[in-house]
Amino acid sequence: RDENGYLHEDRELFPNGMPSLVRYAKHHQLELGLYTTPGVETCLRKPASYGHMKKDVQLWVSNWGIGYLKLCQCNTTIDIRRTAYQRMQRILKRSGKKVTYECDPPYTDKAW
């Protein structure tokens, strides 16, 4: 994340940028998706969406055109998960874009 809390694509992995990759996938009747957690880090120890859900949805859905999002429970607590799944759903709906949304069961007593 930058100093303002925004994520940036990895230009070494995606030299043409994420919007280009999304267009390529859609051209081939595929939907590109991402995953995150409501915690600070993802399962792979990359920056996640804690405190940044609105910014992340704006970037991924509105700017890049992502059509699938999985919200998993890695590196979270039960307290975070109790509200995060519904909050992300509301933010996705407000985007006005069609997004397939998948989430892990939020009320387990232990994160993976």
Side-chain angles (χ1 to χ4, degrees), residues 26-103:
K26 287 182 179 184
H27 177 75
H28 293 282
Q29 285 81 46
L30 299 170
E31 194 65 67
L32 194 67
L34 297 173
Y35 93 99
T36 190
T37 78
V40 175
E41 293 182 327
T42 68
C43 302
L44 295 174
R45 303 286 182 213
K46 302 292 185 186
S49 292
Y50 185 80
H52 302 282
M53 283 186 183
K54 287 181 184 177
K55 288 178 182 177
D56 291 350
V57 167
Q58 173 69 35
L59 176 67
W60 298 332
V61 175
S62 299
N63 296 2
W64 292 355
I66 298 300
Y68 173 92
L69 179 68
K70 179 178 181 181
L71 193 65
C72 69
Q73 58 181 328
C74 290
N75 302 313
T76 63
T77 65
I78 187 70
D79 291 332
I80 290 171
R81 293 191 303 273
R82 284 179 205 245
T83 59
Y85 294 92
Q86 293 165 343
R87 182 166 186 255
M88 180 63 85
Q89 182 181 25
R90 286 191 303 272
I91 293 168
L92 288 168
K93 281 184 178 181
R94 283 188 214 125
S95 77
K97 308 286 185 180
K98 182 183 174 193
V99 180
T100 300
Y101 178 48
E102 177 186 350
C103 52

